[in-house]
Amino acid sequence: MAQPPSTDPNQMGVGRSIAVLTSGGDAQGMNAAVRATVRVGIYTGAKVYFVHEGYQGLVDGGDNIRLATWESVSMMLQLGGTVIGSARCQDFRTKEGRTKAACNLVKLGITNLCVIGGDGSLTGADQFRTEWSELLAILLKAGKVTSAEAKASSHLNIVGMVGSIDNDFCGTDMTIGTDSALHRIIEIVDAITTTAQSHQRTFILEVMGRHCGYLACVTALACGADWVFIPEMPPEDGWEEHLCRRLTDQRGRGSRLNIIIVAEGAMDRSGKAITCDDVKELVSTKLGFDTRTTILGHVQRGGTPSAFDRILASRMGVEAVMALLQATPETPACVVSLSGNMAVRLPLMECVQVTKDVTIAMAEGRFDDAVMLRGKSFENNWNTYKMLAHVHIPEKKSNINIAILNVGAPCAGMNAAVRSTVRVGLLQGHRMLAVHDSFDGLAHGLIEPIDWSGVAGWTGKGGSNLGTKRALPQDFMDEISLNIAKFNIHALVIIGGFEAFAGGLQMVQAREKFEELCIPIVVVPATVSNNVPGSDFSIGADTALNTITMTCDRIKQSAAGTKRRVFIVETMGGHCGYLATMAGLASGADFAYIYEEKFNIHDLELNVEHLVEKMKTTVKRGLILRNEKSNANYTTDFIFNLYSEEGKGVFDCRKNVLGHMQQGGTPSPFDRNFATKMGIKAVLWLTDKLNDCYRHGRVFANSPDSACVLGMKKRSLVFQPLSELKDLTDFEHRIPKIQWWLKLRPILKILAKYKTDLDTTEKAEIEHVIKKRAGVP
């Protein structure tokens, strides 16, 4: 009788072998997935093999299938492409080729295969698994394997991770590489925007996505494009007139540039391709605008992976190893993926089927179905774009005034949130008011109307154009209530960090005394610290994380060149260790000290000893992150001095305090997109609330659910009353009492070769994709 697999994560893989391969088109982040798979596999006691050159290497065998070691995946986290190589493989498409591949695996005792690639690569893997018994029988009959070898390899487990910059695989919100491709695109769009404004030009950009418009749609959202062409939703007949009218309207509103995004697979309703040149011809002939085209091409695939992709790939790698080692012969081949903020396992062939269904729906002209089949994330992006781009400001006004203010420290993405809030408010017929300098400005009457063109070009701007301060409203509640009455403010949108949350709560508590404060209030979290209760993510944190990660990459490169050097890097975040932990995961740090996980001198000694051991290997460098308020006594200087003293003769130390560079810079694509959606959701919610409590020209709202935080929780954006979140908050240290990302701390330690326990109790069960498609024929 076979032994049941061990449930102890340190022993789960003992006596088992895992092979990892990358196949199909390359994508940034694949290396991070390979690294995580290798290191977590080794942590569980399994042997892990690299398969070089994708399926071709699997078929050719020999030196293409090599044992991986801990050190062999060092310094690959920040590299684009795939270090172990990828190749299109015709041989694997034949039965003969798959038989050779099976023979190579059986000889090495490999019964677990982790495939990182697109839907074609994953479909091939599933076919391989389905045929496994048949292939073994062929090999036995031909005498290529012994009956003992065949028995030891009686079934093959397959787990897929989707690496594709197009984000064209149904079932997952984001595929590995998509966020990095968006980074490349947005860098170029930002550069083009400045030149276009100088010359009053129209720019047409073609982005990748032969069958999927995700990159085009999100790019259009992130740069405020005037028009986007995507394959899933071709424009209505007569779009040429509509496009020209839109561009003329934008110029009439004072815009000096127009941006049109074209997905490479864009087509019209009859299936005829729409190219950049077609659009250029139309715009320059019809309107006489100075028009330029840019085809981005393979630039989008290249470069270093973003922090998001590294963390996503690392989390997926851990989940993939767990899924392989927990699989039974009855478990279907699965793909590990991301849904909202959760790692999930989905049946591979269901996802492939839905992906094929999209193509069928497009071919049959069922475009609404195609968008819906792409998934909730895609559908939301498309609806958000439509709402902001198809501009018809209503003649009939709602008589409602909504004020917007930024509170706390500035961060990248605040302006994008203000822009979408203003524009959607105007589309609802409301009058939008900009409050300068936070609650201070609300108290001193620094309030003015803001219109459509007033927020033009704000999406890509860092910092806060409205101005922001940390002062809380309790110091001038009288003045604030007077100005709410004076300017006839019916609702408030507070975009900011912990001060925004605390200030909103103070206003709710002051409602008993000031009737003017009985208006709907929504807090939109925006801070690099990611410490606002009620939300897993805050606007601005992703941009800060990318800044830290890029800096750490450079520091590691410097340390690698010098050898035997350890860098101590201090990150922002107040008492919240989010940035230090996530940057640790994204940059491959040896440790990250945070306030939430208490540490003492004994722990510091262990960390130094760990680094001394590391210096004996081929990896002679170290990176330690410390959150700024992780400990009042063990300061960055203290830790630097301790490491310097204890490491004498083994390594030397350097320290970096990153400081305010983490708050600056242009917002990342994630932050632009997230902020845009948050702003829209906030205004639509306020509109509903105001309809409920608007009577005879007056608003009266004093129920707990009339003042909420809008936050991302696991898979969706939700509104939670400020008063309910009060009990879940540590006000002294300005952090939520429960923080989801602390569960990722063991992964950080395991990837840095610490012996620690990985919590496998929250096993991601296989979910079904097909059932989510109710209503689609």
Side-chain angles (χ1 to χ4, degrees):
M1 226 354 233
Q3 286 289 308
S6 168
T7 52
D8 174 5
N10 284 284
Q11 301 295 316
M12 279 174 81
V14 172
R16 325 243 329 242
S17 294
I18 299 169
V20 57
L21 67 88
T22 53
S23 173
D26 64 309
Q28 309 97 316
M30 279 184 165
N31 290 323
V34 170
R35 171 181 176 268
T37 306
V38 168
R39 289 196 168 173
V40 176
I42 291 171
Y43 158 83
T44 64
K47 278 185 179 176
V48 187
Y49 291 84
F50 290 137
V51 179
H52 291 268
E53 310 308 330
Y55 284 121
Q56 193 65 56
L58 206 59
V59 173
D60 295 345
D63 213 23
N64 287 304
I65 306 176
R66 277 178 247 166
L67 197 62
T69 64
W70 194 273
E71 284 113 77
S72 63
V73 291
S74 184
M75 282 304 270
M76 71 193 286
L77 185 63
Q78 66 271 36
L79 300 176
T82 163
V83 170
I84 59 175
S86 178
R88 310 279 179 193
C89 177
Q90 290 304 321
D91 291 347
F92 195 75
R93 293 172 186 267
T94 67
K95 190 74 157 272
E96 188 188 349
R98 291 193 292 276
T99 308
K100 280 185 188 172
C103 183
N104 291 327
L105 291 181
V106 171
K107 287 293 182 191
L108 290 166
I110 297 167
T111 54
N112 298 284
L113 189 59
C114 178
V115 178
I116 306 162
D119 60 345
S121 308
L122 299 180
T123 305
D126 189 70
Q127 185 182 1
F128 190 40
R129 177 182 180 275
T130 309
E131 286 180 351
W132 186 253
S133 304
E134 196 184 329
L135 299 176
L136 284 184
I138 293 169
L139 290 168
L140 261 174
K141 192 176 174 187
K144 297 272 179 72
V145 299
T146 66
S147 54
E149 286 172 333
K151 192 178 178 189
S153 304
S154 58
H155 73 274
L156 179 71
N157 295 323
I158 295 246
V159 169
M161 282 185 263
V162 191
S164 160
I165 68 163
D166 295 341
N167 202 26
D168 57 354
F169 193 79
C170 293
T172 179
D173 286 354
M174 285 291 263
T175 57
I176 296 166
T178 306
D179 187 68
S180 302
L182 285 169
H183 273 259
R184 293 299 89 75
I185 295 167
I186 294 302
E187 281 164 22
I188 294 162
V189 172
D190 284 350
I192 281 173
T193 301
T194 52
T195 176
Q197 277 179 324
S198 306
H199 296 277
Q200 290 204 38
R201 279 190 178 138
T202 297
F203 263 92
I204 302 157
L205 285 97
E206 184 190 284
V207 300
M208 279 187 170
R210 197 171 308 138
H211 307 296
C212 178
Y214 185 88
L215 288 179
C217 188
V218 175
T219 300
L221 272 180
C223 71
D226 297 295
W227 195 283
V228 64
F229 293 95
I230 62 168
E232 289 87 348
M233 188 56 78
E236 300 285 350
D237 293 339
W239 60 268
E240 295 88 347
E241 292 295 324
H242 189 175
L243 171 61
C244 291
R245 192 167 61 248
R246 170 94 53 85
L247 300 184
T248 310
D249 285 352
Q250 286 298 89
R251 290 286 170 101
R253 288 196 179 93
S255 173
R256 290 181 60 83
L257 83 154
N258 301 111
I259 292 181
I260 298 164
I261 308 292
V262 182
E264 63 178 328
M267 57 184 182
D268 64 16
R269 295 261 153 171
S270 61
K272 180 174 170 283
I274 296 174
T275 67
C276 280
D277 289 337
D278 296 338
V279 182
K280 179 184 177 180
E281 178 69 22
L282 170 72
V283 174
S284 47
T285 308
K286 266 262 172 99
L287 301 176
F289 288 178
D290 185 0
T291 308
R292 297 284 190 277
T293 59
T294 303
I295 294 172
L296 301 190
H298 279 69
V299 164
Q300 297 157 83
R301 277 197 193 282
T304 186
S306 65
F308 181 95
D309 269 332
R310 298 181 199 194
I311 294 163
L312 169 68
S314 299
R315 288 177 70 185
M316 298 298 99
V318 176
E319 192 60 43
V321 172
M322 290 302 137
L324 281 171
L325 298 181
Q326 289 165 350
T328 65
E330 291 73 46
T331 311
C334 79
V335 58
V336 293
S337 90
L338 185 76
S339 177
N341 187 27
M342 294 172 67
V344 293
R345 299 177 191 175
L346 306 168
L348 173 56
M349 290 321 290
E350 281 188 21
C351 295
V352 169
Q353 185 56 53
V354 180
T355 306
K356 285 178 178 166
D357 289 349
V358 176
T359 313
I360 295 165
M362 282 156 61
E364 293 175 356
R366 293 184 287 113
F367 300 114
D368 286 331
D369 286 352
V371 169
M372 199 166 100
L373 285 162
R374 279 274 181 234
K376 218 52 210 143
S377 171
F378 188 96
E379 203 176 348
N380 287 343
N381 285 325
W382 178 245
N383 291 335
T384 304
Y385 161 74
K386 280 197 303 187
M387 186 178 284
L388 286 175
H390 293 247
V391 184
H392 296 292
I393 297 173
E395 297 293 320
K396 188 167 179 265
K397 300 300 176 195
S398 65
N399 297 324
I400 281 170
N401 300 322
I402 297 179
I404 309 160
L405 60 159
N406 292 162
V407 179
C411 69
M414 274 184 167
N415 293 322
V418 173
R419 172 185 173 270
S420 67
T421 303
V422 167
R423 291 195 166 177
V424 170
L426 294 170
L427 291 173
Q428 299 292 309
H430 308 325
R431 183 163 168 265
M432 305 305 287
L433 301 171
V435 181
H436 298 278
D437 296 344
S438 306
F439 290 116
D440 208 315
L442 192 57
H444 295 104
L446 304 178
I447 303 165
E448 61 179 8
I450 188 163
D451 61 8
W452 190 272
S453 56
V455 290
W458 281 30
T459 318
K461 287 186 178 157
S464 164
N465 288 355
L466 292 183
T468 180
K469 290 187 175 180
R470 291 178 180 271
L472 291 172
Q474 62 190 15
D475 304 328
F476 21 65
M477 210 62 92
D478 286 305
E479 294 91 330
I480 285 174
S481 59
L482 286 171
N483 276 328
I484 286 175
K486 180 182 170 185
F487 288 90
N488 199 18
I489 293 169
H490 299 112
L492 268 184
V493 180
I494 307 172
I495 300 166
F498 196 85
E499 292 89 352
F501 168 75
L505 191 58
Q506 286 176 8
M507 292 181 81
V508 169
Q509 289 164 341
R511 278 173 168 178
E512 287 178 20
K513 190 176 173 189
F514 300 98
E515 196 180 306
E516 295 83 356
L517 302 180
C518 294
I519 57 173
I521 297 169
V522 64
V523 174
V524 176
T527 166
V528 302
S529 303
N530 198 31
N531 62 336
V532 178
S535 189
D536 290 351
F537 295 110
S538 296
I539 296 162
D542 184 70
T543 306
L545 196 50
N546 277 291
T547 304
I548 299 166
T549 305
M550 276 169 48
T551 311
C552 288
D553 283 353
R554 290 173 185 176
I555 286 169
K556 275 176 77 179
Q557 201 171 41
S558 148
T562 317
K563 300 279 191 296
R564 299 186 185 280
R565 180 164 283 177
V566 174
F567 276 87
I568 318 287
V569 178
E570 184 188 291
T571 66
M572 270 187 171
H575 284 95
C576 179
Y578 176 82
L579 284 181
T581 298
M582 296 309 237
L585 264 176
S587 61
D590 293 283
F591 206 79
Y593 296 111
I594 62 168
Y595 165 77
E596 291 91 342
E597 199 173 89
K598 303 291 182 244
F599 57 95
N600 55 32
I601 196 72
H602 174 62
D603 299 317
L604 291 169
E605 281 172 15
L606 284 175
N607 298 147
V608 174
E609 284 165 21
H610 187 268
L611 277 173
V612 169
E613 286 303 307
K614 186 180 180 183
M615 295 300 159
K616 294 175 185 172
T617 70
T618 54
V619 188
K620 300 185 190 308
R621 72 190 159 271
L623 177 66
I624 301 289
L625 300 183
R626 179 189 173 273
N627 177 45
E628 59 183 347
K629 291 188 178 174
S630 54
N631 189 297
N633 297 312
Y634 299 139
T635 60
T636 303
D637 284 336
F638 178 94
I639 290 174
F640 168 69
N641 292 334
L642 176 76
Y643 274 66
S644 299
E645 182 61 33
E646 296 297 316
K648 262 185 188 164
V650 183
F651 57 79
D652 65 343
C653 279
R654 294 287 186 276
K655 77 165 186 250
N656 277 66
V657 177
L658 300 185
H660 280 72
M661 66 184 283
Q662 296 161 83
Q663 277 183 349
T666 56
S668 66
F670 178 92
D671 276 333
R672 296 181 196 204
N673 193 3
F674 187 45
T676 301
K677 286 183 187 163
M678 295 280 266
I680 290 173
K681 190 104 175 165
V683 174
L684 296 180
W685 179 81
L686 283 177
T687 304
D688 285 346
K689 281 276 170 258
L690 286 161
N691 287 338
D692 291 344
C693 59
Y694 192 75
R695 299 282 180 276
H696 313 298
R698 285 192 68 235
V699 167
F700 185 81
N702 68 347
S703 60
D705 68 351
S706 64
C708 288
V709 169
L710 167 58
M712 163 76 90
K713 297 299 279 183
K714 290 190 175 173
R715 299 194 187 189
S716 49
L717 289 173
V718 293
F719 291 89
Q720 289 170 278
L722 284 158
S723 52
E724 283 179 18
L725 290 168
K726 182 183 165 193
D727 295 335
L728 304 174
T729 307
D730 174 352
F731 282 93
E732 184 190 344
H733 299 104
R734 298 156 53 88
I735 52 173
K737 287 178 182 173
I738 298 167
Q739 302 190 82
W740 68 271
W741 51 265
L742 285 168
K743 286 188 174 170
L744 302 184
R745 295 275 302 169
I747 298 174
L748 170 67
K749 292 172 191 171
I750 287 165
L751 294 177
K753 212 173 182 177
Y754 279 89
K755 278 286 175 210
T756 187
D757 287 331
L758 183 64
D759 181 7
T760 54
T761 52
E762 267 199 28
K763 182 176 148 190
E765 296 298 333
I766 285 200
E767 298 188 2
H768 291 282
V769 192
I770 303 288
K771 71 174 184 200
K772 297 180 184 176
R773 299 159 46 219
V776 178

